[in-house]
Amino acid sequence: MDYKLPVGAFEQQPRTPFYYYDLKLLDDTLSSIREHSAYPGYKVHYAVKANANPIILKRIADAGFGADVVSGGELSAAINAGFTNDTIVYAGVGKADWEIELALNKNIACLNVESMAELEVIEEICHRMGKSVCVALRVNPNVDAHTHHYITTGLSENKFGIDIEKLDEIIARCQNSDCIKLKGLHFHIGSQITETTPFENLCKRINEIQDKYNEKGIYFETINVGGGLGINYDDPEAEPIPDFKSYFETFNKHLNLREGQELHFELGRSVVCQCGSLITKVLYVKNGVVKNFVIVDAGFSDLIRPALYQAHHKIENLTGHGGSEKYDVVGPICESSDCFGEQETLPVTHRGDLIAIRSAGAYGEIMASQYNCRQLPDVLAK
Ligand SMILES: *Cc1c(COP(=O)(O)O)cnc(C)c1O
C-alpha cells in the first residue's frame, strides 16, 4: 500500500508550515491494530498526549478505541471528541485536585495512581464528593526500555510509578478503603521501543508480580502494559504501519493472563506518527564556507523532537528537480538547536521548494509553541 504525499494540494495551501495528516493511513493503522489485538480481554486505549488534534481524536474515538489521558485538559479533549467515559483511563505523576475532581465527576474507568501521597488525596476528595473510584496502581517494574533516556520511564531512578517494595503497603491501603476499588496494575516502561526484548522482560516481571500476589489471595481484574511501541523514522515508506502483529503476539506469548482478566494497552506514537508530516517552505539557501544551509520556515516551535531528544526525522524535498547536494536543514529560530538535519542529501534546493519532515504525527503538533512569538502551525487533514 502506497501513501503518497499530495504535493498538488500542498502547493495550494496558503500558509506554511503546516501539519499534513493522511487520514487513510490513520484508518488503515487503526484497522491493523484492531485486527492484531483481537485476543480475548485485550483493549487498546489511545494515548491522547501523542496528538490531540480534534480531527484525529474523533477518528480514533469513532473507531471504537478507549483513551489514555494524562491531564484534565486531555480528559476534556477526549470527552469532547466522543470517547465514552467508561473507556478513559487517567495516568500522571502529578494530578492536581481539580483534575481528580473532574475525573470523579466524569466517572471515568480508572485512575492510575503513582504514589501513596496521591492515593490519600484521592481518598480525601472522594469523601468530600461522596464518590467512589476504581484505581490501578502504576508500578515501576525496573525494566530497561533501551531507548533515549528522556523517554525511559520504567527504571527505579525515574520519577514514575510505585517501587515494587512499596506495593504491599499501598495495596493494603486500597483494601481498607471505603471508596477506592483496586482494579489492577499499570506499567509503562518508555517510548519509541523498537525491540521486543523490553516488552518480553516487562511480561516476565508482571508474571512474577502476579504470582506473588495471587499466592497471597490478591487478584487483579486488569493489567495495563502502557504504550511505547516504536516506529521507523528512517524509512517511513517501508513501514507506514508498525508491526502490530509481532507486538501483540509478544504479549500473548509471554504474559500469563488470569481467567477473565483484561489486558490494556496505551498506544500513542505507533497509532498516529506515520500519518503526519510537517510541510515547510524553503526561505533561503545559504552557501557557507564549510557547509550549505537550507533555511526553512518551520522551526522547533513547530516540531521540537530534534531539538529536545536529538531525534531525526526523514527530510524530503517534494518539489526539487534533480541533482544532489548536502545541506544542513535549519529553522529560523534564534537557537543553534533549531536544526532538523545535518548533512542531509537532497536534490539541489531552491527558495520556494516544499520540504516534508516525515513521521511527525506524534509529539509534533501537540508540542508546538509560540516561541519567538511565532504562529502555531496550520493543519491539513485529508
Ligand atoms: C506517553 C504514555 C503512553 C504512550 O506512549 P507511546 O510511546 O506514545 O506509545 C502510554 N501510557 C502512559 C502512561 C504514557 O505516559
Side-chain angles (χ1 to χ4, degrees), residues 314-330:
K314 188 172 179 204
I315 299 174
E316 286 169 32
N317 183 331
L318 300 175
T319 48
H321 300 284
S324 148
E325 192 70 68
K326 281 205 158 85
Y327 301 99
D328 279 16
V329 179
V330 301

Side-chain angles (χ1 to χ4, degrees), residues 147-153 160 308-310:
T147 184
H148 191 278
H149 61 281
Y150 280 13
I151 49 177
T152 293
T153 54
F160 300 100
L308 187 61
Y309 310 122
Q310 293 124 26

Side-chain angles (χ1 to χ4, degrees), residues 67-80:
D68 158 50
V69 302
V70 293
S71 73
E74 282 190 5
L75 177 51
S76 300
I79 288 173
N80 290 340

Side-chain angles (χ1 to χ4, degrees), residues 45-50 68-70 91-92 112 114 138 153 160 186-188 190-193 224-230 265-271 362-363:
H45 297 85
Y46 167 61
V48 171
K49 77 171 192 278
D68 158 50
V69 302
V70 293
N112 295 338
E114 305 220 7
R138 176 162 178 182
T153 54
F160 300 100
H186 174 230
F187 304 83
H188 174 67
S191 200
Q192 184 52 18
I193 300 168
N224 182 332
V225 291
L229 176 62
F265 298 84
E266 300 169 337
L267 295 173
R269 184 191 315 269
S270 54
V271 182
Y363 307 105

